[in-house]
Amino acid sequence: MLSKPERLFGRDTEWEELVEFVTSRSVGATLGLVYGRRRQGKTLMLELLAQETGGLLFGATQQAEAQNLADLGAAYASHRGLRTPVSFGNWREALDELLRLGDERATPVIIDEFPYLVSATPALPSYLQQALNPTGHAKENTRTRLILCGSALTTMAQLLGGGAPLRGRAVLELIVRPFGFRDASAFWGLTESPELAFRVHALVGGTPAYLEMCGGSGPADLDGFDRWVQRRLLNPASAMFREGGLLLREEPSISDPTSYAAALTAISAGNHRRSEIAAALGRPTSALAHLLGGLQSIGLVQQVDDALREKRSVFKIAEPIVRLHQLVTQRREPELVSGQAARVWRDHADTVASTIYGPHFEDLAREWCFLHASTATLNGTASTVRPSEISCRAHRHGHELDIVVSEANSFAGDRITAIGEAKGTLAPMDVAQLQRLEHLRALLPDTRVDEQPKLLLFARSGFTDGLTEVARGRSDVELVDLNRLYFGD
Protein backbone atom coordinates (compact mmCIF):
# COMPACT_ATOMS: atom_id res chain seq x y z
CA MET A 1 0.00 0.00 0.00
CA LEU A 2 1.43 3.37 -1.04
CA SER A 3 1.65 5.79 1.87
CA LYS A 4 -0.33 8.99 1.46
CA PRO A 5 1.98 11.99 0.86
CA GLU A 6 2.16 14.42 3.77
CA ARG A 7 1.19 17.24 1.45
CA LEU A 8 -2.26 15.72 0.96
CA PHE A 9 -4.47 16.72 3.90
CA GLY A 10 -7.24 14.30 4.82
CA ARG A 11 -8.67 12.30 1.92
CA ASP A 12 -7.61 9.02 3.56
CA THR A 13 -10.51 7.05 2.09
CA GLU A 14 -10.11 8.58 -1.36
CA TRP A 15 -6.38 7.85 -1.39
CA GLU A 16 -6.92 4.23 -0.35
CA GLU A 17 -9.48 3.73 -3.12
CA LEU A 18 -7.15 5.18 -5.74
CA VAL A 19 -4.14 3.17 -4.57
CA GLU A 20 -6.15 -0.04 -4.58
CA PHE A 21 -7.34 0.72 -8.10
CA VAL A 22 -3.94 1.55 -9.63
CA THR A 23 -1.99 -1.25 -7.89
CA SER A 24 -4.46 -4.03 -8.64
CA ARG A 25 -2.72 -7.18 -9.89
CA SER A 26 -5.55 -8.08 -12.24
CA VAL A 27 -4.61 -8.40 -15.91
CA GLY A 28 -6.39 -6.12 -18.34
CA ALA A 29 -6.77 -2.37 -18.60
CA THR A 30 -9.29 -0.93 -16.16
CA LEU A 31 -11.25 2.31 -16.10
CA GLY A 32 -11.97 4.60 -13.15
CA LEU A 33 -13.79 7.92 -12.80
CA VAL A 34 -12.96 10.66 -10.30
CA TYR A 35 -15.15 13.72 -10.13
CA GLY A 36 -16.46 16.46 -7.90
CA ARG A 37 -17.02 20.19 -7.89
CA ARG A 38 -14.11 22.47 -8.64
CA ARG A 39 -11.60 23.40 -5.95
CA GLN A 40 -11.93 20.16 -3.97
CA GLY A 41 -8.29 19.15 -4.51
CA LYS A 42 -8.85 16.44 -7.13
CA THR A 43 -5.97 17.52 -9.35
CA LEU A 44 -3.50 17.72 -6.47
CA MET A 45 -4.45 14.26 -5.29
CA LEU A 46 -4.08 12.78 -8.78
CA GLU A 47 -0.80 14.59 -9.42
CA LEU A 48 0.60 13.10 -6.21
CA LEU A 49 -0.72 9.68 -7.24
CA ALA A 50 1.03 9.96 -10.61
CA GLN A 51 4.28 10.99 -8.89
CA GLU A 52 4.14 8.13 -6.40
CA THR A 53 3.39 5.49 -9.05
CA GLY A 54 5.29 6.77 -12.09
CA GLY A 55 2.06 7.33 -13.97
CA LEU A 56 1.12 9.80 -16.68
CA LEU A 57 -1.13 12.76 -15.92
CA PHE A 58 -2.48 14.91 -18.74
CA GLY A 59 -4.54 18.03 -18.02
CA ALA A 60 -6.93 18.89 -20.84
CA THR A 61 -7.88 22.49 -21.63
CA GLN A 62 -10.74 24.21 -23.43
CA GLN A 63 -9.40 24.12 -26.99
CA ALA A 64 -9.84 22.36 -30.31
CA GLU A 65 -9.35 18.62 -30.78
CA ALA A 66 -6.10 19.05 -32.73
CA GLN A 67 -4.64 21.25 -30.00
CA ASN A 68 -5.53 18.76 -27.27
CA LEU A 69 -3.99 15.92 -29.28
CA ALA A 70 -0.83 17.97 -29.73
CA ASP A 71 -0.61 18.69 -25.99
CA LEU A 72 -1.25 15.03 -25.20
CA GLY A 73 1.51 14.02 -27.60
CA ALA A 74 3.93 16.30 -25.76
CA ALA A 75 2.90 14.93 -22.35
CA TYR A 76 3.19 11.34 -23.64
CA ALA A 77 6.67 12.00 -25.03
CA SER A 78 7.81 13.58 -21.78
CA HIS A 79 6.52 10.60 -19.82
CA ARG A 80 8.37 8.19 -22.12
CA GLY A 81 11.56 10.27 -22.00
CA LEU A 82 11.46 11.06 -25.72
CA ARG A 83 13.22 14.14 -27.04
CA THR A 84 10.50 15.24 -29.44
CA PRO A 85 6.70 15.31 -29.04
CA VAL A 86 4.66 12.46 -30.47
CA SER A 87 2.14 13.43 -33.13
CA PHE A 88 -1.21 11.66 -32.73
CA GLY A 89 -3.33 11.74 -35.86
CA ASN A 90 -6.61 11.04 -34.06
CA TRP A 91 -8.03 9.91 -30.75
CA ARG A 92 -8.18 6.22 -31.66
CA GLU A 93 -4.43 6.26 -32.22
CA ALA A 94 -3.83 8.26 -29.04
CA LEU A 95 -5.94 5.95 -26.86
CA ASP A 96 -4.22 2.88 -28.26
CA GLU A 97 -0.81 4.28 -27.30
CA LEU A 98 -1.94 5.45 -23.87
CA LEU A 99 -3.37 2.05 -23.02
CA ARG A 100 -0.11 0.34 -24.04
CA LEU A 101 1.75 2.17 -21.26
CA GLY A 102 0.69 -0.64 -18.95
CA ASP A 103 2.18 -3.46 -21.06
CA GLU A 104 4.89 -4.27 -18.51
CA ARG A 105 3.47 -3.13 -15.15
CA ALA A 106 0.42 -1.54 -13.60
CA THR A 107 0.58 2.06 -14.78
CA PRO A 108 -1.88 4.88 -14.05
CA VAL A 109 -2.86 7.03 -17.02
CA ILE A 110 -4.78 10.04 -15.71
CA ILE A 111 -6.72 12.47 -17.90
CA ASP A 112 -7.79 15.52 -15.92
CA GLU A 113 -10.71 17.72 -17.03
CA PHE A 114 -11.96 15.00 -19.35
CA PRO A 115 -15.20 16.94 -20.08
CA TYR A 116 -13.14 19.49 -22.04
CA LEU A 117 -12.11 16.70 -24.40
CA VAL A 118 -15.67 15.42 -24.74
CA SER A 119 -16.87 18.95 -25.54
CA ALA A 120 -14.40 19.15 -28.46
CA THR A 121 -14.79 15.48 -29.46
CA PRO A 122 -18.27 14.15 -28.52
CA ALA A 123 -17.45 10.68 -29.88
CA LEU A 124 -14.52 10.24 -27.48
CA PRO A 125 -16.41 8.01 -24.99
CA SER A 126 -17.32 5.71 -27.89
CA TYR A 127 -13.69 5.57 -29.01
CA LEU A 128 -12.74 4.65 -25.46
CA GLN A 129 -15.41 1.96 -25.38
CA GLN A 130 -13.87 0.41 -28.48
CA ALA A 131 -10.35 0.66 -27.04
CA LEU A 132 -11.52 -1.24 -23.94
CA ASN A 133 -13.14 -4.01 -25.98
CA PRO A 134 -13.08 -7.26 -23.94
CA THR A 135 -11.07 -9.07 -26.63
CA GLY A 136 -8.80 -6.17 -27.53
CA HIS A 137 -5.11 -5.78 -26.72
CA ALA A 138 -5.67 -3.42 -23.78
CA LYS A 139 -8.04 -5.76 -21.92
CA GLU A 140 -6.06 -8.92 -22.60
CA ASN A 141 -2.43 -7.82 -22.38
CA THR A 142 -1.98 -4.60 -20.38
CA ARG A 143 -2.38 -3.41 -16.82
CA THR A 144 -3.09 0.22 -17.63
CA ARG A 145 -5.22 1.96 -15.00
CA LEU A 146 -7.03 4.72 -16.86
CA ILE A 147 -8.53 7.45 -14.68
CA LEU A 148 -10.84 10.10 -16.12
CA CYS A 149 -11.28 13.15 -13.91
CA GLY A 150 -13.58 16.13 -14.25
CA SER A 151 -15.42 18.94 -12.50
CA ALA A 152 -18.45 19.10 -14.80
CA LEU A 153 -20.59 16.85 -12.61
CA THR A 154 -23.39 16.25 -15.08
CA THR A 155 -21.02 15.32 -17.89
CA MET A 156 -19.01 12.94 -15.68
CA ALA A 157 -22.08 11.25 -14.22
CA GLN A 158 -23.56 10.76 -17.68
CA LEU A 159 -20.48 8.84 -18.85
CA LEU A 160 -21.76 5.81 -16.96
CA GLY A 161 -25.48 6.40 -17.12
CA GLY A 162 -28.30 4.92 -19.16
CA GLY A 163 -27.17 3.81 -22.61
CA ALA A 164 -23.84 5.66 -22.44
CA PRO A 165 -20.93 3.93 -24.24
CA LEU A 166 -18.92 3.50 -21.02
CA ARG A 167 -21.74 2.11 -18.91
CA GLY A 168 -20.52 -1.03 -17.19
CA ARG A 169 -16.89 -0.39 -18.14
CA ALA A 170 -15.66 1.43 -15.01
CA VAL A 171 -14.56 -0.39 -11.86
CA LEU A 172 -14.08 2.82 -9.83
CA GLU A 173 -16.39 5.81 -9.46
CA LEU A 174 -14.94 8.13 -6.85
CA ILE A 175 -16.75 11.36 -5.95
CA VAL A 176 -14.55 13.90 -4.16
CA ARG A 177 -16.66 16.01 -1.80
CA PRO A 178 -15.90 18.97 0.48
CA PHE A 179 -14.35 18.23 3.87
CA GLY A 180 -16.69 17.44 6.73
CA PHE A 181 -16.87 20.03 9.48
CA ARG A 182 -14.26 18.31 11.67
CA ASP A 183 -11.70 17.94 8.88
CA ALA A 184 -12.40 21.51 7.79
CA SER A 185 -11.67 22.76 11.30
CA ALA A 186 -8.28 21.05 11.30
CA PHE A 187 -7.51 22.14 7.74
CA TRP A 188 -8.14 25.78 8.63
CA GLY A 189 -6.18 25.46 11.89
CA LEU A 190 -9.20 26.32 14.03
CA THR A 191 -9.33 23.33 16.37
CA GLU A 192 -8.60 25.52 19.39
CA SER A 193 -11.92 27.36 18.97
CA PRO A 194 -14.99 25.30 17.99
CA GLU A 195 -17.08 28.47 17.92
CA LEU A 196 -14.74 30.06 15.40
CA ALA A 197 -14.56 26.85 13.39
CA PHE A 198 -18.36 26.71 13.31
CA ARG A 199 -18.73 30.29 12.09
CA VAL A 200 -16.17 29.87 9.33
CA HIS A 201 -17.70 26.58 8.19
CA ALA A 202 -21.18 28.10 8.19
CA LEU A 203 -19.98 30.74 5.72
CA VAL A 204 -17.48 28.93 3.46
CA GLY A 205 -18.04 25.20 4.06
CA GLY A 206 -15.37 22.58 3.53
CA THR A 207 -13.94 23.30 0.08
CA PRO A 208 -10.13 23.05 0.45
CA ALA A 209 -9.21 25.75 -2.07
CA TYR A 210 -11.14 28.39 -0.13
CA LEU A 211 -8.37 28.57 2.46
CA GLU A 212 -5.90 29.80 -0.15
CA MET A 213 -8.56 32.03 -1.73
CA CYS A 214 -9.00 33.62 1.70
CA GLY A 215 -5.37 34.59 1.84
CA GLY A 216 -4.09 31.36 3.35
CA SER A 217 -5.55 31.74 6.82
CA GLY A 218 -8.78 32.06 8.71
CA PRO A 219 -9.59 34.58 11.45
CA ALA A 220 -7.04 34.60 14.28
CA ASP A 221 -9.67 34.79 17.02
CA LEU A 222 -13.31 35.62 17.67
CA ASP A 223 -12.54 39.30 18.11
CA GLY A 224 -11.12 39.41 14.59
CA PHE A 225 -13.86 37.34 12.95
CA ASP A 226 -16.04 40.19 11.71
CA ARG A 227 -13.06 42.00 10.24
CA TRP A 228 -11.97 38.77 8.51
CA VAL A 229 -15.42 38.33 6.95
CA GLN A 230 -15.39 41.91 5.69
CA ARG A 231 -11.85 41.59 4.32
CA ARG A 232 -12.00 38.10 2.80
CA LEU A 233 -15.64 37.38 1.95
CA LEU A 234 -17.32 40.74 1.39
CA ASN A 235 -14.44 42.53 -0.28
CA PRO A 236 -14.71 42.90 -4.09
CA ALA A 237 -10.92 42.54 -4.32
CA SER A 238 -11.07 39.10 -2.72
CA ALA A 239 -11.21 35.91 -4.80
CA MET A 240 -14.13 34.78 -2.64
CA PHE A 241 -16.38 37.74 -3.38
CA ARG A 242 -18.10 36.25 -6.46
CA GLU A 243 -17.45 32.58 -5.71
CA GLY A 244 -21.01 31.89 -4.57
CA GLY A 245 -22.36 33.01 -7.95
CA LEU A 246 -19.65 31.44 -10.07
CA LEU A 247 -20.36 27.92 -8.79
CA LEU A 248 -23.63 27.96 -10.68
CA ARG A 249 -22.39 29.63 -13.84
CA GLU A 250 -19.30 27.48 -14.33
CA GLU A 251 -21.38 24.30 -14.71
CA PRO A 252 -21.90 23.72 -18.48
CA SER A 253 -25.20 21.86 -17.98
CA ILE A 254 -26.85 25.02 -16.61
CA SER A 255 -28.12 26.85 -19.67
CA ASP A 256 -30.24 29.46 -17.84
CA PRO A 257 -28.41 30.52 -14.66
CA THR A 258 -30.97 33.21 -13.82
CA SER A 259 -33.81 30.78 -13.06
CA TYR A 260 -31.55 28.51 -11.05
CA ALA A 261 -30.16 31.47 -9.10
CA ALA A 262 -33.70 32.53 -8.22
CA ALA A 263 -34.38 29.06 -6.82
CA LEU A 264 -31.18 29.25 -4.78
CA THR A 265 -32.25 32.61 -3.40
CA ALA A 266 -35.63 31.23 -2.35
CA ILE A 267 -34.12 28.22 -0.58
CA SER A 268 -31.42 30.32 1.09
CA ALA A 269 -34.11 32.60 2.51
CA GLY A 270 -35.75 29.68 4.31
CA ASN A 271 -38.23 28.36 1.75
CA HIS A 272 -37.40 24.68 2.04
CA ARG A 273 -40.57 22.92 0.93
CA ARG A 274 -41.47 22.57 -2.73
CA SER A 275 -44.65 24.62 -2.29
CA GLU A 276 -42.75 27.41 -0.51
CA ILE A 277 -40.13 27.59 -3.23
CA ALA A 278 -42.83 27.69 -5.92
CA ALA A 279 -44.63 30.52 -4.12
CA ALA A 280 -41.42 32.52 -3.77
CA LEU A 281 -40.72 32.13 -7.50
CA GLY A 282 -44.30 32.73 -8.56
CA ARG A 283 -44.42 29.42 -10.39
CA PRO A 284 -46.59 26.32 -10.13
CA THR A 285 -45.09 23.48 -8.12
CA SER A 286 -45.06 21.27 -11.19
CA ALA A 287 -42.60 23.64 -12.87
CA LEU A 288 -39.86 23.12 -10.27
CA ALA A 289 -38.73 19.60 -11.12
CA HIS A 290 -36.19 20.70 -13.72
CA LEU A 291 -34.74 23.50 -11.58
CA LEU A 292 -34.43 21.48 -8.39
CA GLY A 293 -33.14 18.42 -10.23
CA GLY A 294 -30.47 20.48 -11.96
CA LEU A 295 -29.31 22.08 -8.70
CA GLN A 296 -29.10 18.69 -7.04
CA SER A 297 -27.12 17.20 -9.92
CA ILE A 298 -24.39 19.83 -9.56
CA GLY A 299 -24.24 19.54 -5.79
CA LEU A 300 -25.60 22.94 -4.79
CA VAL A 301 -28.90 21.74 -3.34
CA GLN A 302 -29.72 18.64 -1.31
CA GLN A 303 -33.12 17.00 -1.05
CA VAL A 304 -33.78 15.64 2.45
CA ASP A 305 -36.67 13.24 2.91
CA ASP A 306 -38.92 13.50 5.95
CA ALA A 307 -38.02 10.83 8.50
CA LEU A 308 -41.63 9.93 9.31
CA ARG A 309 -43.81 11.03 6.41
CA GLU A 310 -43.46 9.44 3.00
CA LYS A 311 -43.27 11.55 -0.16
CA ARG A 312 -42.49 14.64 1.87
CA SER A 313 -39.14 16.34 1.70
CA VAL A 314 -37.31 19.62 2.09
CA PHE A 315 -34.57 21.22 0.01
CA LYS A 316 -31.45 22.67 1.58
CA ILE A 317 -28.45 24.60 0.30
CA ALA A 318 -25.52 22.17 0.18
CA GLU A 319 -22.76 24.77 -0.32
CA PRO A 320 -22.54 27.47 2.38
CA ILE A 321 -20.76 30.05 0.21
CA VAL A 322 -23.77 29.99 -2.14
CA ARG A 323 -26.07 30.79 0.78
CA LEU A 324 -23.88 33.73 1.85
CA HIS A 325 -23.81 35.01 -1.72
CA GLN A 326 -27.58 34.83 -2.14
CA LEU A 327 -28.43 36.39 1.22
CA VAL A 328 -25.76 39.06 1.56
CA THR A 329 -23.24 39.57 -1.26
CA GLN A 330 -25.65 39.63 -4.19
CA ARG A 331 -28.30 41.75 -2.46
CA ARG A 332 -25.91 44.44 -1.25
CA GLU A 333 -23.28 44.33 -3.98
CA PRO A 334 -23.38 48.08 -4.82
CA GLU A 335 -22.66 48.96 -1.18
CA LEU A 336 -19.96 46.34 -0.90
CA VAL A 337 -18.28 47.58 -4.07
CA SER A 338 -18.26 51.08 -2.58
CA GLY A 339 -16.44 49.83 0.52
CA GLN A 340 -19.33 49.52 2.98
CA ALA A 341 -18.64 45.92 4.07
CA ALA A 342 -18.66 46.73 7.79
CA ARG A 343 -22.11 48.31 7.60
CA VAL A 344 -23.54 45.57 5.39
CA TRP A 345 -22.26 42.83 7.70
CA ARG A 346 -23.64 44.65 10.74
CA ASP A 347 -27.03 45.17 9.09
CA HIS A 348 -27.28 41.46 8.26
CA ALA A 349 -26.51 40.20 11.76
CA ASP A 350 -30.07 38.95 12.31
CA THR A 351 -30.22 37.35 8.86
CA VAL A 352 -26.92 35.56 9.41
CA ALA A 353 -28.04 34.30 12.82
CA SER A 354 -31.44 33.02 11.70
CA THR A 355 -30.92 31.82 8.13
CA ILE A 356 -27.23 30.86 8.18
CA TYR A 357 -26.03 29.91 11.65
CA GLY A 358 -29.32 28.35 12.79
CA PRO A 359 -29.89 25.97 9.84
CA HIS A 360 -26.17 25.21 9.59
CA PHE A 361 -25.99 24.13 13.22
CA GLU A 362 -28.88 21.74 12.60
CA ASP A 363 -27.03 20.30 9.60
CA LEU A 364 -23.88 19.73 11.67
CA ALA A 365 -25.90 18.06 14.42
CA ARG A 366 -27.32 15.59 11.90
CA GLU A 367 -23.86 15.01 10.41
CA TRP A 368 -22.49 14.35 13.90
CA CYS A 369 -25.18 11.76 14.58
CA PHE A 370 -24.50 9.99 11.30
CA LEU A 371 -20.69 10.06 11.30
CA HIS A 372 -19.36 10.64 14.80
CA ALA A 373 -21.83 9.70 17.55
CA SER A 374 -21.31 6.37 19.30
CA THR A 375 -23.90 3.62 19.42
CA ALA A 376 -24.18 4.21 23.16
CA THR A 377 -25.05 7.85 22.56
CA LEU A 378 -27.70 7.01 19.98
CA ASN A 379 -28.90 3.76 21.55
CA GLY A 380 -28.16 2.07 18.23
CA THR A 381 -26.60 2.61 14.82
CA ALA A 382 -27.55 5.61 12.73
CA SER A 383 -28.72 4.26 9.36
CA THR A 384 -30.48 7.53 8.57
CA VAL A 385 -30.61 10.93 10.26
CA ARG A 386 -33.35 13.20 9.00
CA PRO A 387 -35.69 15.98 10.13
CA SER A 388 -39.44 15.59 10.37
CA GLU A 389 -42.68 17.29 11.29
CA ILE A 390 -45.03 15.64 13.79
CA SER A 391 -48.75 16.36 13.97
CA CYS A 392 -50.10 17.28 17.39
CA ARG A 393 -53.79 17.30 18.28
CA ALA A 394 -53.19 19.09 21.54
CA HIS A 395 -51.57 22.08 19.89
CA ARG A 396 -53.49 21.75 16.60
CA HIS A 397 -50.39 22.20 14.45
CA GLY A 398 -47.28 20.35 13.44
CA HIS A 399 -44.07 20.41 15.44
CA GLU A 400 -40.74 20.53 13.62
CA LEU A 401 -38.29 17.89 14.77
CA ASP A 402 -34.69 18.62 13.82
CA ILE A 403 -33.30 15.13 14.21
CA VAL A 404 -34.74 11.64 13.91
CA VAL A 405 -32.14 8.87 14.11
CA SER A 406 -33.30 5.55 12.67
CA GLU A 407 -31.63 2.15 12.63
CA ALA A 408 -32.38 -0.15 9.71
CA ASN A 409 -33.54 -3.66 10.48
CA SER A 410 -33.42 -6.38 7.82
CA PHE A 411 -36.31 -8.32 9.35
CA ALA A 412 -38.56 -5.54 10.60
CA GLY A 413 -39.27 -1.87 10.12
CA ASP A 414 -36.72 0.79 10.93
CA ARG A 415 -36.36 1.55 14.63
CA ILE A 416 -36.14 5.14 15.89
CA THR A 417 -33.25 5.15 18.32
CA ALA A 418 -33.08 8.87 19.13
CA ILE A 419 -34.66 12.22 18.40
CA GLY A 420 -33.09 15.61 18.87
CA GLU A 421 -33.36 19.35 18.82
CA ALA A 422 -30.58 21.71 17.76
CA LYS A 423 -30.32 25.39 18.67
CA GLY A 424 -27.71 27.55 17.00
CA THR A 425 -28.57 30.70 18.97
CA LEU A 426 -26.36 32.58 21.42
CA ALA A 427 -28.68 31.76 24.33
CA PRO A 428 -28.07 28.54 26.29
CA MET A 429 -30.63 25.76 26.04
CA ASP A 430 -32.99 25.40 29.02
CA VAL A 431 -35.22 22.74 30.56
CA ALA A 432 -38.11 23.92 28.37
CA GLN A 433 -36.39 22.42 25.29
CA LEU A 434 -36.09 19.07 27.05
CA GLN A 435 -39.76 19.17 27.98
CA ARG A 436 -40.67 19.95 24.38
CA LEU A 437 -38.62 17.02 23.16
CA GLU A 438 -40.30 14.73 25.69
CA HIS A 439 -43.65 15.84 24.32
CA LEU A 440 -42.56 15.06 20.77
CA ARG A 441 -41.30 11.64 21.79
CA ALA A 442 -44.75 10.81 23.11
CA LEU A 443 -46.20 11.64 19.67
CA LEU A 444 -43.92 9.27 17.76
CA PRO A 445 -45.68 6.41 15.96
CA ASP A 446 -45.26 2.78 17.04
CA THR A 447 -42.93 3.46 19.97
CA ARG A 448 -42.83 0.81 22.67
CA VAL A 449 -42.59 1.93 26.27
CA ASP A 450 -39.52 -0.26 26.84
CA GLU A 451 -37.80 1.11 23.72
CA GLN A 452 -38.11 4.84 24.16
CA PRO A 453 -35.78 6.79 21.85
CA LYS A 454 -33.06 8.82 23.51
CA LEU A 455 -33.36 12.59 23.64
CA LEU A 456 -30.49 14.58 22.09
CA LEU A 457 -30.13 18.26 22.85
CA PHE A 458 -27.62 20.21 20.73
CA ALA A 459 -26.73 23.74 21.78
CA ARG A 460 -24.18 26.03 20.19
CA SER A 461 -24.03 28.13 23.38
CA GLY A 462 -24.28 25.37 25.95
CA PHE A 463 -26.89 24.62 28.58
CA THR A 464 -28.30 26.23 31.68
CA ASP A 465 -27.35 24.84 35.06
CA GLY A 466 -30.92 23.64 35.50
CA LEU A 467 -30.89 21.56 32.31
CA THR A 468 -27.42 20.22 33.06
CA GLU A 469 -28.57 19.08 36.49
CA VAL A 470 -31.69 17.38 35.13
CA ALA A 471 -29.77 15.61 32.37
CA ARG A 472 -27.11 14.38 34.80
CA GLY A 473 -29.61 12.06 36.44
CA ARG A 474 -31.14 10.66 33.25
CA SER A 475 -29.70 7.96 31.01
CA ASP A 476 -32.09 8.82 28.16
CA VAL A 477 -30.80 12.39 27.70
CA GLU A 478 -27.62 13.48 25.91
CA LEU A 479 -26.33 17.06 25.90
CA VAL A 480 -24.08 18.00 22.98
CA ASP A 481 -22.32 21.35 22.93
CA LEU A 482 -19.80 22.60 20.36
CA ASN A 483 -16.88 20.92 22.10
CA ARG A 484 -18.56 17.54 21.99
CA LEU A 485 -19.76 18.17 18.44
CA TYR A 486 -16.18 18.73 17.27
CA PHE A 487 -14.27 16.32 19.50
CA GLY A 488 -16.59 13.83 21.21
CA ASP A 489 -18.93 10.98 20.41
Side-chain angles (χ1 to χ4, degrees):
M1 177 68 71
L2 291 173
S3 297
K4 188 185 73 172
E6 292 185 3
R7 185 180 174 186
L8 183 62
F9 179 88
R11 303 301 188 202
D12 294 339
T13 300
E14 292 90 338
W15 182 260
E16 291 176 5
E17 293 287 353
L18 287 170
V19 170
E20 181 179 348
F21 172 74
V22 301
T23 60
S24 171
R25 295 183 178 275
S26 62
V27 176
T30 53
L31 173 66
L33 266 62
V34 176
Y35 58 98
R37 288 207 318 271
R38 296 187 188 281
R39 295 175 277 284
Q40 302 306 322
K42 302 183 299 298
T43 299
L44 172 62
M45 182 166 59
L46 293 174
E47 284 180 346
L48 294 173
L49 181 69
Q51 292 174 12
E52 293 291 321
T53 58
L56 165 66
L57 185 142
F58 168 66
T61 56
Q62 287 181 301
Q63 57 186 2
E65 176 181 302
Q67 294 170 310
N68 275 314
L69 283 171
D71 288 348
L72 177 60
Y76 174 83
S78 176
H79 176 76
R80 293 285 305 274
L82 305 177
R83 292 185 177 182
T84 58
V86 173
S87 178
F88 293 129
N90 54 59
W91 272 108
R92 286 189 174 91
E93 179 184 336
L95 291 174
D96 182 65
E97 290 301 318
L98 290 177
L99 292 173
R100 288 180 181 273
L101 288 174
D103 279 352
E104 298 180 359
R105 64 178 182 86
T107 302
V109 174
I110 303 165
I111 301 179
D112 196 11
E113 294 301 349
F114 185 71
Y116 290 158
L117 302 183
V118 176
S119 178
T121 311
L124 185 54
S126 294
Y127 298 158
L128 188 54
Q129 176 194 29
Q130 295 170 352
L132 294 174
N133 187 291
T135 60
H137 175 83
K139 292 297 290 183
E140 292 196 337
N141 299 284
T142 81
R143 292 174 60 198
T144 303
R145 308 306 180 215
L146 180 62
I147 297 176
L148 309 179
C149 179
S151 302
L153 301 187
T154 304
T155 301
M156 293 299 296
Q158 289 176 346
L159 290 175
L160 305 180
L166 295 178
R167 178 170 175 79
R169 301 282 181 174
V171 299
L172 172 72
E173 185 177 7
L174 181 63
I175 303 176
V176 181
R177 296 182 170 86
F179 290 140
F181 70 93
R182 285 188 171 182
D183 281 345
S185 172
F187 185 71
W188 282 76
L190 300 175
T191 54
E192 296 297 321
S193 175
E195 170 64 23
L196 197 55
F198 165 73
R199 293 190 194 182
V200 170
H201 194 266
L203 298 182
V204 302
T207 295
Y210 290 168
L211 175 58
E212 181 178 355
M213 293 170 66
C214 285
S217 66
D221 49 40
L222 287 172
D223 290 337
F225 174 73
D226 290 343
R227 175 59 181 161
W228 178 83
V229 171
Q230 296 158 24
R231 183 75 182 88
R232 297 301 181 186
L233 305 183
L234 302 182
N235 178 5
S238 170
M240 292 294 292
F241 184 71
R242 302 188 188 281
E243 177 67 10
L246 292 176
L247 287 179
L248 178 64
R249 287 168 172 77
E250 68 186 9
E251 172 58 47
S253 66
I254 301 299
S255 57
D256 178 20
T258 302
S259 297
Y260 289 93
L264 288 173
T265 300
I267 299 171
S268 298
N271 301 291
H272 298 306
R273 302 195 186 283
R274 194 180 295 266
S275 58
E276 296 170 347
I277 300 169
L281 297 180
R283 297 188 178 193
T285 304
S286 58
L288 293 183
H290 179 70
L291 288 178
L292 295 176
L295 291 172
Q296 290 178 74
S297 69
I298 62 174
L300 298 186
V301 164
Q302 178 186 15
Q303 181 176 349
V304 183
D305 294 333
D306 190 290
L308 304 175
R309 309 170 80 174
E310 294 185 1
K311 298 181 180 180
R312 188 179 178 90
S313 58
V314 294
F315 295 88
K316 296 181 175 293
I317 298 295
E319 178 51 65
I321 194 64
V322 169
R323 182 170 53 198
L324 177 67
H325 176 81
Q326 298 295 330
L327 293 177
V328 181
T329 310
Q330 179 178 256
R331 293 184 179 184
R332 305 290 288 273
E333 182 172 350
E335 294 164 80
L336 293 173
V337 170
S338 66
Q340 302 300 313
R343 185 183 71 189
V344 170
W345 183 242
R346 183 175 60 251
D347 291 348
H348 279 77
D350 291 341
T351 297
V352 171
S354 61
T355 59
I356 294 182
Y357 290 155
H360 195 74
F361 187 73
E362 294 174 13
D363 290 340
L364 296 198
R366 285 188 284 267
E367 183 178 335
W368 182 83
C369 290
F370 191 67
L371 296 178
H372 304 295
S374 66
T375 55
T377 295
L378 302 180
N379 195 32
T381 300
S383 301
T384 61
V385 183
R386 300 169 179 164
S388 186
E389 182 177 309
I390 301 180
S391 300
C392 177
R393 293 183 178 179
H395 294 94
R396 297 183 179 180
H397 64 78
H399 294 289
E400 291 188 359
L401 186 54
D402 298 330
I403 297 161
V404 178
V405 182
S406 298
E407 181 180 62
N409 190 321
S410 301
F411 307 103
D414 292 354
R415 179 175 71 95
I416 298 175
T417 67
I419 61 173
E421 182 168 354
K423 293 298 181 186
T425 63
L426 292 177
M429 190 174 275
D430 201 354
V431 176
Q433 276 76 41
L434 174 59
Q435 294 171 340
R436 177 181 182 275
L437 208 52
E438 289 177 315
H439 173 64
L440 297 185
R441 181 169 65 179
L443 300 176
L444 292 174
D446 303 324
T447 301
R448 291 168 44 185
V449 175
D450 60 342
E451 283 191 345
Q452 289 289 296
K454 295 189 75 170
L455 305 178
L456 313 176
L457 295 168
F458 295 83
R460 172 187 168 196
S461 302
F463 310 92
T464 62
D465 292 340
L467 178 55
T468 302
E469 183 62 29
V470 170
R472 186 176 294 118
R474 294 182 54 171
S475 61
D476 65 329
V477 177
E478 297 280 351
L479 304 184
V480 184
D481 59 10
L482 274 176
N483 277 314
R484 186 173 178 185
L485 195 72
Y486 273 88
F487 306 113
D489 61 2

